[in-house]
Amino acid sequence: MGKRKSKVNPPPKKRMRMDKLDTVFCCPFCNHGNSVECHIDMKNSIGEASCRICLESFSTTATALTEPIDIYSEWIDECQRVNTVR
């Protein structure tokens, strides 16, 4: 006599791993690493990046899709725009 076949459940699916984006960055003014923190105030639609060392800050408008890297990138773009002499 043969054995009954056991019901084998398929292996569980692996969750897709999403790498998290940084929330602390290098300051463009004092060049300290991990000194710029970005905060998003969704109630007032304001995103702010500020350095703990040199106390420089930048604020911009924020939407529901805004991430801290977006605020930091806008700050860097604005610095480059101001420093470009035409």
Coordinates of all heavy atoms in Angstrom, one line a residue:
M1 N 0.8 -1.2 0.0 CA 0.0 0.0 0.0 C 0.9 1.3 0.0 O 1.9 1.3 0.6 CB -0.9 0.0 1.2 CG -1.9 -1.0 1.3 SD -3.0 -0.5 2.6 CE -4.5 -0.6 1.8
G2 N 0.3 2.2 -0.7 CA 1.1 3.5 -0.7 C 0.6 4.5 0.3 O -0.5 4.4 0.9
K3 N 1.4 5.5 0.5 CA 1.1 6.5 1.5 C 0.2 7.5 0.8 O 0.2 7.7 -0.4 CB 2.3 7.3 2.0 CG 3.2 6.5 2.9 CD 4.5 7.2 3.1 CE 4.6 7.8 4.5 NZ 5.8 8.5 4.7
R4 N -0.6 8.2 1.6 CA -1.4 9.3 1.1 C -0.5 10.5 0.8 O 0.4 10.7 1.6 CB -2.5 9.7 2.1 CG -3.6 8.6 2.2 CD -4.7 9.2 3.0 NE -5.7 8.2 3.2 CZ -6.8 8.4 3.9 NH1 -7.0 9.6 4.5 NH2 -7.7 7.5 4.0
K5 N -0.9 11.2 -0.2 CA -0.1 12.4 -0.5 C -0.4 13.5 0.5 O -1.6 13.7 0.8 CB -0.3 12.9 -1.9 CG 0.2 12.0 -3.0 CD 0.1 12.7 -4.3 CE 0.7 11.8 -5.4 NZ 0.5 12.4 -6.7
S6 N 0.6 14.1 1.1 CA 0.3 15.2 2.0 C 0.2 16.5 1.3 O 0.8 16.7 0.2 CB 1.5 15.3 3.0 OG 2.6 15.6 2.4
K7 N -0.7 17.3 1.8 CA -1.0 18.6 1.1 C 0.2 19.5 1.5 O 0.4 19.8 2.7 CB -2.3 19.2 1.6 CG -2.7 20.4 0.8 CD -4.0 20.9 1.2 CE -4.4 22.1 0.5 NZ -5.7 22.6 0.8
V8 N 0.9 20.0 0.5 CA 2.0 20.9 0.8 C 1.6 22.3 0.4 O 1.2 22.6 -0.7 CB 3.3 20.5 -0.1 CG1 4.4 21.4 0.2 CG2 3.7 19.0 0.3
N9 N 1.7 23.2 1.4 CA 1.5 24.6 1.1 C 2.6 25.2 0.4 O 3.8 24.9 0.7 CB 1.2 25.4 2.4 CG -0.1 24.9 3.1 OD1 -1.0 24.5 2.4 ND2 -0.1 25.1 4.4
P10 N 2.4 26.1 -0.6 CA 3.5 26.8 -1.2 C 4.3 27.7 -0.3 O 3.7 28.2 0.7 CB 2.8 27.6 -2.3 CG 1.4 27.8 -1.8 CD 1.1 26.6 -1.0
P11 N 5.6 27.9 -0.5 CA 6.3 28.7 0.4 C 5.8 30.2 0.4 O 5.3 30.6 -0.6 CB 7.7 28.7 -0.2 CG 7.6 28.3 -1.6 CD 6.3 27.5 -1.6
P12 N 5.9 30.9 1.5 CA 5.4 32.2 1.6 C 6.2 33.2 0.7 O 7.4 33.0 0.5 CB 5.6 32.6 3.1 CG 6.6 31.7 3.6 CD 6.5 30.5 2.8
K13 N 5.5 34.1 0.1 CA 6.1 35.1 -0.8 C 7.0 36.0 0.0 O 6.6 36.5 1.1 CB 5.1 35.9 -1.6 CG 4.3 35.0 -2.5 CD 3.4 35.9 -3.3 CE 2.6 35.0 -4.3 NZ 1.6 35.8 -5.1
K14 N 8.1 36.4 -0.5 CA 9.0 37.3 0.2 C 8.5 38.7 -0.1 O 8.1 39.1 -1.2 CB 10.4 37.2 -0.4 CG 11.1 35.9 0.0 CD 12.5 35.8 -0.4 CE 13.2 34.5 0.0 NZ 14.6 34.5 -0.5
R15 N 8.6 39.5 1.0 CA 8.2 40.9 0.8 C 9.2 41.7 0.0 O 10.4 41.4 0.2 CB 8.0 41.6 2.2 CG 6.9 40.9 3.0 CD 6.8 41.6 4.3 NE 5.7 42.6 4.1 CZ 5.4 43.5 5.0 NH1 6.1 43.6 6.1 NH2 4.3 44.3 4.8
M16 N 8.8 42.6 -0.8 CA 9.7 43.4 -1.6 C 10.4 44.4 -0.7 O 9.7 45.2 0.0 CB 8.9 44.1 -2.7 CG 9.7 44.6 -3.8 SD 8.6 45.1 -5.1 CE 9.5 46.5 -5.6
R17 N 11.7 44.4 -0.6 CA 12.4 45.3 0.3 C 12.6 46.6 -0.4 O 13.2 46.7 -1.4 CB 13.7 44.6 0.7 CG 14.4 45.3 1.9 CD 15.7 44.7 2.2 NE 16.7 45.7 1.8 CZ 17.9 45.4 1.6 NH1 18.4 44.2 1.9 NH2 18.8 46.3 1.3
M18 N 12.1 47.6 0.3 CA 12.3 49.0 -0.2 C 13.4 49.7 0.6 O 13.2 49.7 1.8 CB 11.0 49.8 -0.2 CG 9.9 49.2 -0.9 SD 9.7 49.6 -2.6 CE 9.5 51.4 -2.5
D19 N 14.4 50.1 0.0 CA 15.5 50.8 0.7 C 14.9 52.2 1.2 O 14.4 52.9 0.3 CB 16.7 51.0 -0.1 CG 17.4 49.6 -0.3 OD1 17.2 48.7 0.5 OD2 18.1 49.5 -1.4
K20 N 15.2 52.5 2.4 CA 14.7 53.8 2.9 C 15.7 54.9 2.5 O 16.9 54.7 2.4 CB 14.6 53.8 4.4 CG 13.5 52.8 4.8 CD 13.0 53.2 6.2 CE 11.9 52.2 6.5 NZ 11.0 52.7 7.4
L21 N 15.1 56.1 2.2 CA 15.9 57.2 1.8 C 16.5 57.9 3.1 O 15.9 57.8 4.1 CB 15.1 58.2 1.0 CG 14.6 57.7 -0.3 CD1 13.7 58.7 -1.0 CD2 15.7 57.4 -1.3
D22 N 17.6 58.6 2.9 CA 18.2 59.3 4.0 C 17.3 60.5 4.5 O 16.5 61.1 3.7 CB 19.6 59.9 3.6 CG 20.6 58.8 3.4 OD1 20.4 57.7 4.0 OD2 21.6 59.1 2.7
T23 N 17.4 60.8 5.8 CA 16.7 62.0 6.3 C 17.7 63.0 6.9 O 17.4 64.1 7.3 CB 15.7 61.6 7.4 OG1 16.4 60.9 8.4 CG2 14.6 60.7 6.8
V24 N 19.0 62.6 7.0 CA 20.1 63.5 7.4 C 21.1 63.6 6.3 O 21.5 62.6 5.7 CB 20.7 63.0 8.7 CG1 20.5 63.9 9.9 CG2 20.3 61.6 9.1
F25 N 21.7 64.8 6.1 CA 22.5 65.1 5.0 C 23.7 65.9 5.4 O 23.8 66.4 6.5 CB 21.7 65.8 3.9 CG 20.5 65.1 3.5 CD1 19.3 65.5 4.0 CD2 20.5 64.0 2.7 CE1 18.1 64.9 3.7 CE2 19.3 63.4 2.3 CZ 18.1 63.8 2.8
C26 N 24.6 66.1 4.5 CA 25.8 66.9 4.6 C 25.4 68.4 4.4 O 24.8 68.7 3.4 CB 26.9 66.5 3.7 SG 28.4 67.4 3.7
C27 N 25.9 69.3 5.2 CA 25.6 70.7 5.1 C 26.4 71.3 3.9 O 27.6 71.2 3.8 CB 25.9 71.5 6.4 SG 25.6 73.2 6.3
P28 N 25.8 72.1 3.0 CA 26.5 72.7 1.9 C 27.3 73.9 2.4 O 28.2 74.4 1.6 CB 25.4 73.2 0.9 CG 24.2 73.3 1.8 CD 24.3 72.3 2.9
F29 N 27.1 74.4 3.5 CA 27.9 75.6 4.0 C 29.0 75.2 4.9 O 30.2 75.7 4.6 CB 26.9 76.6 4.8 CG 25.9 77.2 3.9 CD1 24.6 76.7 3.8 CD2 26.2 78.3 3.1 CE1 23.7 77.3 3.0 CE2 25.3 78.8 2.2 CZ 24.0 78.3 2.2
C30 N 28.8 74.5 5.9 CA 29.9 74.1 6.8 C 30.5 72.8 6.5 O 31.5 72.4 7.1 CB 29.4 74.1 8.3 SG 28.2 72.9 8.7
N31 N 29.9 72.0 5.6 CA 30.4 70.7 5.1 C 30.5 69.6 6.2 O 31.3 68.7 6.1 CB 31.8 70.9 4.4 CG 31.9 70.0 3.2 OD1 30.9 69.5 2.7 ND2 33.1 69.8 2.8
H32 N 29.8 69.7 7.2 CA 29.7 68.7 8.2 C 28.8 67.6 7.7 O 27.7 67.8 7.3 CB 29.2 69.2 9.6 CG 30.2 69.8 10.4 ND1 30.6 71.1 10.3 CD2 31.0 69.3 11.4 CE1 31.5 71.4 11.2 NE2 31.8 70.3 11.9
G33 N 29.2 66.3 7.9 CA 28.4 65.2 7.5 C 27.3 64.9 8.5 O 27.5 65.1 9.7
N34 N 26.1 64.6 8.1 CA 25.0 64.2 8.9 C 24.6 65.3 9.9 O 24.2 65.1 11.0 CB 25.3 62.9 9.7 CG 25.5 61.7 8.8 OD1 24.9 61.7 7.7 ND2 26.2 60.8 9.3
S35 N 24.7 66.6 9.4 CA 24.3 67.7 10.3 C 23.0 68.4 9.9 O 22.4 69.2 10.6 CB 25.4 68.7 10.4 OG 25.7 69.3 9.1
V36 N 22.5 68.1 8.7 CA 21.3 68.7 8.2 C 20.1 67.8 8.4 O 20.2 66.6 7.9 CB 21.5 69.1 6.7 CG1 20.1 69.6 6.1 CG2 22.5 70.1 6.5
E37 N 19.1 68.2 9.1 CA 17.9 67.4 9.3 C 16.8 68.1 8.5 O 16.7 69.3 8.5 CB 17.6 67.3 10.8 CG 18.6 66.5 11.5 CD 18.2 66.4 13.0 OE1 17.4 67.3 13.5 OE2 18.7 65.6 13.7
C38 N 15.9 67.3 7.9 CA 14.8 67.8 7.2 C 13.5 67.5 7.9 O 13.3 66.3 8.4 CB 14.7 67.2 5.8 SG 16.1 67.7 4.8
H39 N 12.6 68.4 8.1 CA 11.3 68.2 8.7 C 10.2 68.7 7.8 O 10.4 69.8 7.1 CB 11.2 69.0 10.0 CG 12.3 68.6 11.0 ND1 12.2 67.5 11.8 CD2 13.5 69.2 11.4 CE1 13.3 67.4 12.5 NE2 14.1 68.4 12.3
I40 N 9.1 68.0 7.8 CA 8.0 68.3 6.9 C 6.8 68.6 7.8 O 6.4 67.7 8.5 CB 7.7 67.2 5.9 CG1 9.0 67.0 5.0 CG2 6.6 67.6 5.0 CD1 8.9 65.8 4.1
D41 N 6.2 69.8 7.7 CA 5.0 70.1 8.4 C 3.9 70.1 7.4 O 3.7 71.0 6.6 CB 5.2 71.5 9.0 CG 3.9 71.9 9.8 OD1 3.1 71.1 10.1 OD2 3.8 73.1 10.2
M42 N 3.1 69.0 7.3 CA 2.1 68.8 6.4 C 0.9 69.7 6.7 O 0.1 70.1 5.8 CB 1.6 67.4 6.3 CG 2.7 66.4 5.7 SD 3.3 67.0 4.1 CE 1.8 66.9 3.1
K43 N 0.7 70.1 7.9 CA -0.4 70.9 8.3 C -0.3 72.3 7.6 O -1.3 72.8 7.2 CB -0.5 71.1 9.8 CG -1.7 71.8 10.3 CD -1.7 71.8 11.8 CE -3.0 72.5 12.3 NZ -3.0 72.5 13.8
N44 N 0.9 72.8 7.6 CA 1.1 74.1 7.0 C 1.8 74.1 5.6 O 2.1 75.1 5.0 CB 2.0 75.0 7.9 CG 1.3 75.3 9.2 OD1 0.1 75.5 9.3 ND2 2.1 75.2 10.3
S45 N 2.0 72.9 5.1 CA 2.6 72.6 3.8 C 4.0 73.3 3.7 O 4.3 74.0 2.7 CB 1.7 73.1 2.7 OG 0.5 72.4 2.7
I46 N 4.8 73.1 4.7 CA 6.2 73.6 4.7 C 7.2 72.5 5.0 O 7.0 71.7 5.9 CB 6.3 74.7 5.8 CG1 5.4 75.9 5.5 CG2 7.8 75.2 6.0 CD1 5.4 76.9 6.6
G47 N 8.3 72.5 4.2 CA 9.4 71.6 4.4 C 10.6 72.5 4.8 O 10.9 73.5 4.2
E48 N 11.3 72.1 5.8 CA 12.4 72.8 6.3 C 13.6 71.9 6.5 O 13.6 70.9 7.0 CB 12.1 73.5 7.6 CG 13.2 74.4 8.1 CD 12.8 75.1 9.4 OE1 11.9 74.7 10.0 OE2 13.6 76.1 9.7
A49 N 14.8 72.4 6.0 CA 16.1 71.8 6.2 C 16.9 72.7 7.0 O 17.0 73.9 6.7 CB 16.7 71.4 4.9
S50 N 17.5 72.2 8.1 CA 18.4 73.1 8.9 C 19.6 72.3 9.4 O 19.5 71.1 9.7 CB 17.6 73.6 10.1 OG 17.1 72.6 10.9
C51 N 20.7 73.1 9.5 CA 22.0 72.5 10.0 C 22.1 72.7 11.5 O 21.9 73.9 12.0 CB 23.1 73.2 9.2 SG 24.7 72.6 9.8
R52 N 22.5 71.7 12.2 CA 22.7 71.8 13.6 C 24.0 72.5 14.0 O 24.1 73.1 15.1 CB 22.7 70.4 14.3 CG 21.4 69.7 14.2 CD 21.5 68.4 14.8 NE 22.5 67.6 14.0 CZ 22.6 66.3 14.0 NH1 21.8 65.6 14.7 NH2 23.5 65.7 13.2
I53 N 25.0 72.5 13.1 CA 26.3 73.1 13.4 C 26.3 74.6 13.1 O 26.6 75.4 14.0 CB 27.4 72.4 12.6 CG1 27.3 70.9 12.8 CG2 28.7 72.9 13.0 CD1 27.5 70.4 14.2
C54 N 26.0 75.0 11.9 CA 26.2 76.4 11.5 C 24.8 77.1 11.5 O 24.8 78.3 11.3 CB 26.8 76.5 10.1 SG 25.8 75.9 8.8
L55 N 23.7 76.5 11.9 CA 22.4 77.0 12.0 C 21.8 77.7 10.8 O 20.9 78.5 10.8 CB 22.4 78.1 13.2 CG 22.8 77.5 14.5 CD1 22.9 78.7 15.5 CD2 22.0 76.4 15.0
E56 N 22.3 77.3 9.6 CA 21.7 77.7 8.3 C 20.4 76.9 8.1 O 20.3 75.7 8.6 CB 22.7 77.4 7.2 CG 23.9 78.3 7.1 CD 23.5 79.8 6.8 OE1 22.5 80.0 6.0 OE2 24.2 80.7 7.2
S57 N 19.5 77.5 7.5 CA 18.2 76.8 7.2 C 17.6 77.2 5.9 O 18.0 78.2 5.3 CB 17.2 77.1 8.3 OG 16.9 78.4 8.3
F58 N 16.8 76.3 5.4 CA 16.1 76.6 4.1 C 14.7 76.0 4.3 O 14.5 74.9 4.8 CB 16.8 75.8 3.0 CG 16.1 75.8 1.7 CD1 16.1 77.0 0.9 CD2 15.4 74.7 1.2 CE1 15.5 77.0 -0.3 CE2 14.8 74.7 0.0 CZ 14.8 75.9 -0.8
S59 N 13.7 76.8 3.8 CA 12.3 76.3 3.8 C 11.7 76.4 2.5 O 12.0 77.3 1.7 CB 11.5 77.0 4.9 OG 11.5 78.3 4.6
T60 N 10.8 75.5 2.2 CA 10.1 75.5 0.9 C 8.7 74.9 1.1 O 8.4 74.4 2.1 CB 10.9 74.7 -0.1 OG1 10.3 74.7 -1.4 CG2 11.0 73.2 0.3
T61 N 7.9 75.0 0.0 CA 6.6 74.4 0.1 C 6.7 72.9 0.0 O 7.5 72.4 -0.7 CB 5.7 75.0 -1.0 OG1 6.3 74.7 -2.3 CG2 5.4 76.5 -0.8
A62 N 5.8 72.2 0.6 CA 5.7 70.8 0.6 C 4.4 70.3 0.2 O 3.4 70.9 0.4 CB 6.1 70.2 2.0
T63 N 4.4 69.1 -0.5 CA 3.1 68.5 -0.9 C 3.0 67.1 -0.2 O 3.9 66.8 0.6 CB 3.0 68.3 -2.4 OG1 4.1 67.4 -2.8 CG2 3.2 69.6 -3.1
A64 N 2.0 66.4 -0.5 CA 1.9 65.1 0.1 C 2.9 64.1 -0.3 O 3.3 63.1 0.3 CB 0.5 64.5 -0.2
L65 N 3.5 64.3 -1.5 CA 4.5 63.5 -2.1 C 6.0 63.9 -1.7 O 6.9 63.2 -2.1 CB 4.4 63.4 -3.6 CG 3.0 62.9 -4.1 CD1 3.0 62.9 -5.6 CD2 2.8 61.5 -3.6
T66 N 6.1 65.0 -1.0 CA 7.5 65.5 -0.7 C 8.2 64.6 0.3 O 7.6 64.2 1.3 CB 7.4 66.9 -0.2 OG1 6.7 67.7 -1.1 CG2 8.8 67.5 0.1
E67 N 9.4 64.3 0.0 CA 10.3 63.5 0.9 C 11.4 64.4 1.4 O 11.7 65.5 0.8 CB 10.9 62.3 0.2 CG 9.8 61.3 -0.2 CD 9.3 60.5 1.0 OE1 10.0 60.3 2.0 OE2 8.1 60.2 0.9
P68 N 12.1 64.1 2.5 CA 13.3 64.9 2.9 C 14.4 65.1 1.9 O 14.9 66.2 1.8 CB 13.8 64.1 4.1 CG 12.6 63.4 4.7 CD 11.8 63.0 3.5
I69 N 14.6 64.1 1.1 CA 15.6 64.3 0.0 C 15.2 65.3 -1.0 O 16.1 66.0 -1.6 CB 15.9 62.9 -0.7 CG1 17.1 63.0 -1.6 CG2 14.7 62.4 -1.4 CD1 18.4 63.1 -1.0
D70 N 13.9 65.5 -1.2 CA 13.4 66.5 -2.1 C 13.7 67.9 -1.6 O 14.1 68.8 -2.4 CB 11.9 66.4 -2.4 CG 11.6 65.0 -3.0 OD1 12.4 64.5 -3.8 OD2 10.5 64.5 -2.7
I71 N 13.5 68.1 -0.3 CA 13.8 69.4 0.3 C 15.3 69.7 0.2 O 15.7 70.8 -0.1 CB 13.3 69.4 1.8 CG1 11.8 69.2 1.8 CG2 13.7 70.7 2.5 CD1 11.2 69.0 3.1
Y72 N 16.1 68.7 0.6 CA 17.6 68.9 0.5 C 18.0 69.2 -0.9 O 18.9 70.1 -1.1 CB 18.3 67.7 1.1 CG 19.8 67.8 1.1 CD1 20.4 68.6 2.0 CD2 20.5 67.1 0.2 CE1 21.8 68.8 2.0 CE2 21.9 67.2 0.2 CZ 22.5 68.0 1.1 OH 23.9 68.1 1.1
S73 N 17.5 68.5 -1.9 CA 17.9 68.8 -3.3 C 17.5 70.2 -3.7 O 18.2 70.8 -4.5 CB 17.2 67.7 -4.2 OG 17.6 66.4 -3.9
E74 N 16.3 70.6 -3.3 CA 15.9 72.0 -3.6 C 16.9 73.0 -3.0 O 17.2 74.0 -3.6 CB 14.5 72.3 -3.2 CG 13.4 71.6 -4.1 CD 12.0 72.0 -3.6 OE1 11.8 73.1 -3.2 OE2 11.1 71.2 -3.8
W75 N 17.3 72.8 -1.8 CA 18.3 73.6 -1.1 C 19.6 73.7 -1.9 O 20.1 74.8 -2.2 CB 18.5 73.2 0.3 CG 19.3 74.1 1.1 CD1 19.6 75.4 0.9 CD2 19.9 73.8 2.4 NE1 20.3 76.0 1.9 CE2 20.5 75.0 2.9 CE3 20.0 72.7 3.2 CZ2 21.2 75.1 4.1 CZ3 20.6 72.8 4.4 CH2 21.2 74.0 4.8
I76 N 20.1 72.6 -2.3 CA 21.3 72.5 -3.1 C 21.1 73.2 -4.4 O 22.0 74.0 -4.9 CB 21.8 71.0 -3.3 CG1 22.1 70.4 -2.0 CG2 23.0 71.0 -4.3 CD1 23.2 71.0 -1.2
D77 N 20.0 73.0 -5.1 CA 19.7 73.7 -6.4 C 19.7 75.2 -6.2 O 20.2 76.0 -7.0 CB 18.4 73.2 -7.0 CG 18.5 71.7 -7.4 OD1 19.7 71.2 -7.6 OD2 17.5 71.1 -7.6
E78 N 19.1 75.6 -5.1 CA 19.0 77.1 -4.9 C 20.3 77.7 -4.6 O 20.6 78.8 -5.0 CB 18.0 77.3 -3.7 CG 17.7 78.8 -3.4 CD 16.9 79.4 -4.5 OE1 16.2 78.7 -5.3 OE2 16.9 80.7 -4.6
C79 N 21.2 77.0 -3.8 CA 22.5 77.4 -3.6 C 23.3 77.6 -4.9 O 24.0 78.6 -5.1 CB 23.3 76.5 -2.6 SG 22.7 76.5 -1.0
Q80 N 23.2 76.6 -5.8 CA 23.9 76.7 -7.1 C 23.3 77.8 -7.9 O 24.1 78.5 -8.6 CB 23.8 75.3 -7.8 CG 24.6 74.2 -7.2 CD 24.4 72.9 -7.9 OE1 23.5 72.8 -8.7 NE2 25.2 72.0 -7.5
R81 N 22.0 78.0 -7.9 CA 21.4 79.1 -8.6 C 21.9 80.5 -8.1 O 22.2 81.4 -8.9 CB 19.9 79.1 -8.6 CG 19.2 80.1 -9.5 CD 17.7 80.1 -9.2 NE 17.4 80.7 -7.9 CZ 17.4 82.0 -7.6 NH1 17.8 82.8 -8.5 NH2 17.1 82.4 -6.4
V82 N 22.0 80.7 -6.8 CA 22.5 81.9 -6.3 C 24.0 82.2 -6.6 O 24.4 83.3 -6.8 CB 22.2 82.0 -4.7 CG1 22.9 83.1 -4.1 CG2 20.7 82.0 -4.5
N83 N 24.8 81.1 -6.6 CA 26.2 81.3 -6.8 C 26.6 81.4 -8.2 O 27.7 81.8 -8.5 CB 26.9 80.1 -6.2 CG 26.9 80.1 -4.7 OD1 26.9 81.2 -4.1 ND2 27.0 78.9 -4.1
T84 N 25.7 81.1 -9.1 CA 25.9 81.3 -10.6 C 25.8 82.8 -10.9 O 24.7 83.3 -10.8 CB 25.0 80.4 -11.4 OG1 25.1 79.1 -11.0 CG2 25.3 80.5 -12.9
V85 N 26.9 83.3 -11.4 CA 26.9 84.7 -11.9 C 26.7 84.8 -13.4 O 27.4 84.1 -14.1 CB 28.2 85.4 -11.5 CG1 28.2 86.8 -11.9 CG2 28.4 85.3 -10.0
R86 N 25.7 85.6 -13.8 CA 25.5 85.7 -15.2 C 26.1 87.0 -15.7 O 26.0 88.0 -15.2 CB 24.0 85.6 -15.5 CG 23.6 84.2 -15.3 CD 22.2 84.1 -15.8 NE 21.8 82.7 -15.5 CZ 20.8 82.1 -16.2 NH1 20.1 82.7 -17.1 NH2 20.5 80.9 -15.9

